[in-house]
Amino acid sequence: MPSIAIQVPYQAQPGMKIKAKLADGRSFLVTIPEGAYYPTQLMVSVPDAPVAATGNPIMDSKPIDLPSDSKIEKLEGTAGTTMDEGVDAKDLTAICALCCVSTNLYCTWPGCIGCHQKGDMCCIQIEGVACKVGVTEGSLCMCVKSELECIKPTTCIKMTEQCFCLDCRCAFPCDDEVPCAVTVLGLTCCFNWSPKCECGAKLAEDKEEGGAPAEEVADEEQEMQVMDRQ
């Protein structure tokens, strides 16, 4: 069976189903396994596309449940130390940015309630949330949570801070969550070292994850939908 890599959407919980759409038009309902929360990556095995007598693949746009012999595995090391209540850069709209520093609008509801901050400096990482809506089973509100960790260095310095609808962040060097951009009053003139003219541009762009095929699903806005717990 071929495999695809998908990411658990923000605020999704174990037991919920998400729809994963492949490039060949087929859609499958994937049940989130226990212990898998955003931004955990799942490797899902899917059946080969059925072929008609003409030799062409049979396409069905209606989502179906995965076969019983399909495997769903959590990719180790994909969640990192990011808390479940953290901010996804794909949900941010750039307001002002200059190279490695940006101020953004965060309007995802109810994720925008409360505050979240995270900072990396060489081998030290600190992260905390306050007054956030609970995203794990049984949690109504995360009043205060923080952690201080010694990690393997991956960057020189990186800081993000979200307070309700306002998000500020910086990083050196720039990365996917803090890209190099030039934005003035919501008009982006440069993004990821390339010229760009767009009003209300998102801070992060969807792209393929390493090791996953081109037909993988990106996020909720690209055919991945959180469905009711069954």
Side-chain angles (χ1 to χ4, degrees):
M1 285 187 177
S3 298
I4 59 172
I6 60 176
Q7 184 184 73
V8 177
Y10 181 68
Q11 295 188 332
Q13 299 180 18
M16 290 183 176
K17 290 188 177 183
I18 53 179
K19 185 175 76 172
K21 184 175 181 180
L22 281 64
D24 59 16
R26 294 180 296 156
S27 296
F28 293 96
L29 298 178
V30 180
T31 302
I32 301 176
E34 288 298 324
Y37 297 93
Y38 169 84
T40 301
Q41 297 281 339
L42 304 175
M43 186 62 69
V44 182
S45 60
V46 296
D48 293 316
V51 179
T54 57
N56 297 321
I58 300 175
M59 296 187 181
D60 187 357
S61 58
K62 295 183 180 180
I64 59 175
D65 288 318
L66 284 173
S68 57
D69 57 345
S70 294
K71 295 182 179 180
I72 304 176
E73 299 178 349
K74 293 189 295 182
L75 297 182
E76 298 296 333
T78 57
T81 59
T82 300
M83 295 180 178
D84 298 328
E85 298 85 2
V87 178
D88 188 347
K90 296 184 181 68
D91 295 329
L92 298 175
T93 301
I95 301 175
C96 294
L98 181 60
C99 297
C100 58
V101 181
S102 67
T103 300
N104 314 281
L105 194 62
Y106 181 51
C107 296
T108 299
W109 180 264
C112 64
I113 298 175
C115 303
H116 170 265
Q117 64 175 3
K118 182 177 180 180
D120 293 8
M121 182 175 290
C122 296
C123 62
I124 300 297
Q125 182 180 83
I126 185 171
E127 185 174 9
V129 296
C131 301
K132 280 285 191 179
V133 176
V135 297
T136 58
E137 184 175 4
S139 175
L140 299 178
C141 176
M142 180 55 65
C143 298
V144 177
K145 181 170 66 172
S146 63
E147 65 179 28
L148 176 64
E149 187 173 4
C150 185
I151 62 174
K152 181 180 179 180
T154 58
T155 187
C156 293
I157 185 170
K158 179 178 178 180
M159 304 290 293
T160 66
E161 183 172 359
Q162 172 258 327
C163 186
F164 293 92
C165 291
L166 188 64
D167 175 275
C168 299
R169 53 187 58 208
C170 66
F172 182 81
C174 298
D175 60 13
D176 291 340
E177 293 184 333
V178 190
C180 178
V182 176
T183 302
V184 180
L185 299 179
L187 179 62
T188 299
C189 307
C190 176
F191 185 82
N192 272 344
W193 312 100
S194 300
K196 180 177 183 177
C197 184
E198 182 178 351
C199 186
K202 295 295 184 180
L203 186 67
E205 293 181 335
D206 295 321
K207 67 178 185 178
E208 297 177 12
E209 300 289 340
E215 62 265 29
E216 72 178 59
V217 180
D219 60 9
E220 292 175 282
E221 295 181 355
Q222 291 185 319
E223 302 301 334
M224 177 178 288
Q225 302 171 352
V226 180
M227 305 189 70
D228 293 336
R229 184 185 297 272
Q230 297 187 351

